[in-house]
Amino acid sequence: MEREVRVRFAPSPTGALHIGGVRTALYNFLLARKTGGKMILRIEDTDQTRFVPGAEDYIRESLEWCGIELDESPWKGGPYAPYRQSERKPIYMQYAQQLIDAGHAYYAFDTAEELDAMRERLKAAKVATPQYNAITRMTMKNSLTLPEDEVKRRLDSGDPYVIRLKVPRKEEVRLQDMIRGWVMVHSSAIDDKVLMKSDGMPTYHLANIVDDHLMKITHVIRGEEWLPSAPLHVLLYRYLGWEDTMPQFAHLPLLLKPDGNGKLSKRDGDKLGFPVFPLHWVDPNTGEKSTGYRESGYLPDAFVNFLAFLGWNPGTQQEIFSMDELIQEFTVERIGKSGTRFDIQKARWFNEQYLRAKPDSELAGYLMEALKEHNITTTHQTAEKVAGLMKERVSFPQDFWKEAQYFYVAPTEYSEKVASKKWNSQSVAVFEDFKNELLSLQDINADTVKELLNSILERHGMKIGQVMQALRLAVTGAEAGPDLMQIIEVLGKEETAQRIETAISKLSSYATA
C-alpha cells in the first residue's frame, strides 16, 4: 500500500527567511497539495547559540503571506508534536545510544585544543581536507582508542564528550535523487560527523533523520547545499534500520546572482537594490534593516508565481499561474539541475501582470489609501476610473499615487523641454477657445471633449498632433500618460479650464509666433 505523501520545511530560526528558503517551502507545499499529502513545518533550533528572537514569528508570517498553508507545525500542532527540535531533546539520545550499541557510533573526548592540533598535523602533512575520519580517529581520544574502563570512568565522572558517527573506511554510498539521478560518494570523503554535542543537544544530522523518520516524512525537498550531507544521512538511515522507509530526496538547484556568478546573497540584493527576504526584517542584534517583497509592493500571488519559475517550468509557454494551477501542474521531475539566475525585472513583470488583472474596483483601494495619507478626498467611483486609466503604467500599488497624483493636484511646474518645443501662440489661441467652449458643454465625456477639440482645431487650420503634447502639459504637467481626453473627462470641465488658464499665464514667455 502506498504511503501518504508527507513533506516538511525545516528552517532554523537564525534570522530572516531567505527567498531561497521560501522557494523550498513552496515546492514542498505544491507536491503535498498535488498528491493530497501533508505539509509539515519543523523548527530546527538545536543550535541555540544561533537563535535569533523574532525569527520564528517571521517564518510563520512569511509563509502565511505567500499562501503556503501548513497541516502540522509548532503553531498548529499535529500528531507528531512537538515540532520544535529544542522541545524534542529527550528523544534523540536513545537513537545515538542505539548507534553506539550497534558499533556505528562512538564517544569522543577530544578537547578543542586537541582537535586543533590534529588539524595542524594533517595540514603540515599536506592533507587537502583535514578530517576526523576512519584514519585519524585512531590517533584521538575516543571510545575506540581508550580502554573500556577509562571510557566508563570518563562517562561516570561527567567528562565532556560528543558522539560521532563511525563512517566505514572503504564503501561507496549511493542514493537516487529525484532531480539529479544517482549520486555516489566514497565513504573516505565523509568525516565522522558529531551526532550529539557536549551540551546534550543533537546536531542537525541526527535530529533531522530521527525527526523525519518519526514524522513519517516521505519526500525531502531541500537546497543543493545539503547534497554533500545526503550520503551521511543515507548511512544513518541504514544504521538505524530505517532504510526501507527512507524518504526520497530532491536537492534543488541554487538561486544564483543576476550575473550567474555564485549564490544569491543578501549582500547582492543590497548592492543591486532589490530584496532577498519576503518581508521587512530588522536584525534584533545589530538593528540593521532589510526591506521585503511585501513592503516593496509585490503582491503575494505574483511573488509566488515568480518563485515557482526559479528552477521549475511547466514545459509550456504559459507563465501566469494561480496557486491552484501551480499545484495542478507541478512535478519534481520538471525542476532543473543547474542553478537559476535571479532576475528582479522578471519579478517586476509578474507583479505588473497581476496588478493589471485585478478589477479596477480593487485597484482603487490602493489609490484611496494613498489619497487618505495626503488628506485628499474623492469618491470611490472616481478613484476606480483613475486606477483603470493608470494600471497599464504601474508596477506596484504605491505607483498609483506617484503616477496619478496630477488627477488630484494641479501642476505648478512644467517641462521646459516640452514648453520650448510645443508651446506657441497658435496653440495658445486653440487652448483659449477650447477652455471657453469646454465650460459650455453639457455632457462631458472623452468623445465629446475630443469632438470639441477637433472642431476648434479645424477652425484654426491645425492638426491634433500640433497641440496634443502642449495640451497634456497644461492639463497634467506630465510629458506622457493615458488618453488625455479620458483624463479631462475625469477632471471635469471646470478643473480642466482652470488648469489651462494657469498654464497660459505661467508659460506666456513661450507663446511667441
Side-chain angles (χ1 to χ4, degrees):
M1 183 175 173
E2 278 194 18
R3 291 193 294 166
E4 176 189 49
V5 169
R6 291 177 56 82
V7 300
R8 49 75 168 172
F9 178 52
S12 298
T14 56
L17 183 62
H18 188 279
I19 58 169
V22 183
R23 182 190 66 165
T24 299
L26 174 63
Y27 286 175
N28 275 284
F29 173 71
L30 294 177
L31 179 64
R33 292 293 176 266
K34 172 74 177 279
T35 57
K38 294 287 192 294
M39 171 74 178
I40 293 95
L41 183 130
R42 186 173 68 231
I43 295 292
E44 302 207 333
D45 57 349
T46 55
D47 189 346
Q48 293 290 293
T49 61
R50 296 179 63 220
F51 176 80
V52 173
E56 188 178 308
D57 289 337
Y58 182 92
I59 292 165
R60 178 180 184 176
E61 191 178 348
S62 296
L63 298 182
E64 285 176 355
W65 178 68
C66 291
I68 297 172
E69 301 161 349
L70 305 172
D71 296 301
E72 300 167 29
S73 71
W75 321 295
K76 194 170 183 177
Y80 302 99
Y83 291 90
R84 289 184 191 90
Q85 285 186 335
S86 58
E87 296 171 8
R88 298 171 64 82
K89 183 178 175 181
I91 296 172
Y92 305 111
M93 181 54 88
Q94 63 177 303
Y95 295 103
Q97 190 62 54
Q98 180 182 326
L99 290 167
I100 288 173
D101 294 344
H104 295 305
Y106 57 94
Y107 300 104
F109 302 96
D110 315 285
T111 64
E113 292 75 21
E114 288 166 338
L115 290 170
D116 287 340
M118 178 264 285
R119 292 187 193 100
E120 290 305 319
R121 286 196 305 273
L122 293 175
K123 282 180 187 175
K126 306 295 185 192
V127 175
T129 51
Q131 291 181 330
Y132 200 122
N133 58 20
I135 297 173
T136 56
R137 70 168 78 116
M138 301 315 294
T139 66
M140 305 299 288
K141 282 184 187 168
N142 53 58
S143 55
L144 301 176
T145 60
L146 297 173
E148 191 175 333
D149 59 342
E150 185 177 346
V151 172
K152 186 176 185 310
R153 180 185 62 76
R154 282 175 175 265
L155 292 174
D156 291 344
S157 62
D159 281 13
Y161 68 87
V162 299
I163 297 176
R164 289 181 178 272
L165 182 67
K166 186 181 176 186
V167 177
R169 184 173 177 181
K170 292 181 179 179
E171 190 174 313
E172 192 169 71
V173 184
R174 305 169 79 236
L175 74 140
Q176 190 166 31
D177 187 277
M178 295 174 73
I179 296 170
R180 296 157 198 282
W182 282 102
V183 176
M184 285 162 277
V185 176
H186 198 274
S187 62
S188 61
I190 307 171
D191 57 338
D192 288 4
K193 291 285 186 206
V194 173
L195 302 178
M196 294 293 291
K197 294 177 283 189
S198 57
D199 63 1
M201 286 294 279
T203 61
Y204 167 84
H205 302 292
L206 179 64
N208 175 273
I209 298 310
V210 169
D211 287 343
D212 281 352
H213 173 73
L214 295 181
M215 293 181 180
K216 298 187 174 359
I217 301 303
T218 60
H219 297 75
V220 171
I221 303 176
R222 59 187 179 185
E224 183 181 288
E225 62 270 24
W226 292 110
L227 189 57
S229 300
L232 173 75
H233 298 165
V234 169
L235 288 177
L236 279 168
Y237 276 109
R238 183 182 304 162
Y239 294 159
L240 287 164
W242 302 335
E243 200 167 14
D244 288 347
T245 56
M246 183 171 72
Q248 291 181 263
F249 290 100
H251 290 88
L252 304 175
L254 291 175
L255 288 188
L256 303 176
K257 299 177 186 184
D259 63 5
N261 187 22
K263 186 179 177 180
L264 179 71
S265 70
K266 178 187 174 299
R267 196 177 296 108
D268 299 313
D270 291 343
K271 183 179 171 185
L272 298 170
F274 59 79
V276 293
F277 301 141
L279 314 181
H280 177 72
W281 168 257
V282 180
D283 190 309
N285 298 319
T286 65
E288 183 184 4
K289 296 178 181 177
S290 302
T291 189
Y293 279 85
R294 181 178 67 183
E295 291 72 20
S296 296
Y298 286 86
L299 304 177
D301 290 351
F303 177 68
V304 163
N305 198 156
F306 167 65
L307 267 193
F309 273 73
L310 289 176
W312 171 86
N313 76 81
T316 65
Q317 295 301 308
Q318 183 180 344
E319 289 187 280
I320 304 298
F321 284 82
S322 66
M323 184 71 91
D324 286 344
E325 288 172 325
L326 285 172
I327 290 167
Q328 183 66 34
E329 295 298 324
F330 182 78
T331 60
V332 174
E333 290 72 26
R334 294 213 64 85
I335 297 173
K337 295 184 182 70
S338 56
T340 304
R341 289 189 188 200
F342 186 84
D343 181 359
I344 193 62
Q345 293 309 319
K346 193 66 177 179
R348 189 183 180 112
W349 178 85
F350 272 109
N351 214 54
E352 290 165 353
Q353 306 313 306
Y354 275 82
L355 271 176
R356 289 167 193 174
K358 284 183 176 292
D360 294 349
S361 57
E362 189 176 337
L363 298 179
Y366 299 130
L367 182 56
M368 294 283 279
E369 203 174 301
L371 291 172
K372 191 176 179 182
E373 288 175 16
H374 291 84
N375 297 314
I376 296 171
T377 57
T378 187
T379 65
H380 194 278
Q381 186 181 16
T382 301
E384 224 177 288
K385 285 183 182 177
V386 173
L389 287 174
M390 302 308 297
K391 67 182 179 182
E392 296 294 327
R393 298 175 174 273
V394 301
S395 301
F396 305 104
Q398 62 268 29
D399 292 345
F400 278 102
W401 166 249
K402 189 168 68 177
E403 296 293 329
Q405 57 185 284
Y406 57 70
F407 280 94
Y408 302 96
V409 181
T412 55
E413 295 180 356
Y414 305 91
S415 164
E416 188 178 342
K417 184 178 77 173
V418 176
S420 62
K421 286 183 178 179
K422 299 293 183 180
W423 199 269
N424 52 55
S425 58
Q426 291 99 323
S427 60
V428 169
V430 170
F431 300 156
E432 288 280 9
D433 287 353
F434 180 63
K435 166 178 68 85
N436 295 328
E437 294 178 38
L438 183 65
L439 289 169
S440 65
L441 278 182
Q442 292 301 309
D443 179 26
I444 177 166
N445 59 54
D447 292 335
T448 58
V449 171
K450 188 173 184 180
E451 195 177 309
L452 173 63
L453 180 59
N454 281 329
S455 68
I456 293 170
L457 286 168
E458 193 174 336
R459 288 205 309 263
H460 285 262
M462 296 177 71
K463 296 190 181 301
I464 200 164
Q466 293 174 269
V467 300
M468 189 55 81
Q469 201 169 5
L471 182 58
R472 182 182 295 278
L473 188 69
V475 174
T476 69
E479 295 181 29
D483 182 76
L484 184 57
M485 303 302 113
Q486 292 184 306
I487 292 174
I488 292 171
E489 178 184 328
V490 173
L491 289 174
K493 57 187 180 182
E494 287 84 4
E495 177 66 20
T496 302
Q498 181 59 57
R499 291 186 181 198
I500 292 171
E501 192 173 313
T502 302
I504 289 172
S505 172
K506 289 198 170 189
L507 298 172
S508 58
S509 61
Y510 294 101
T512 55

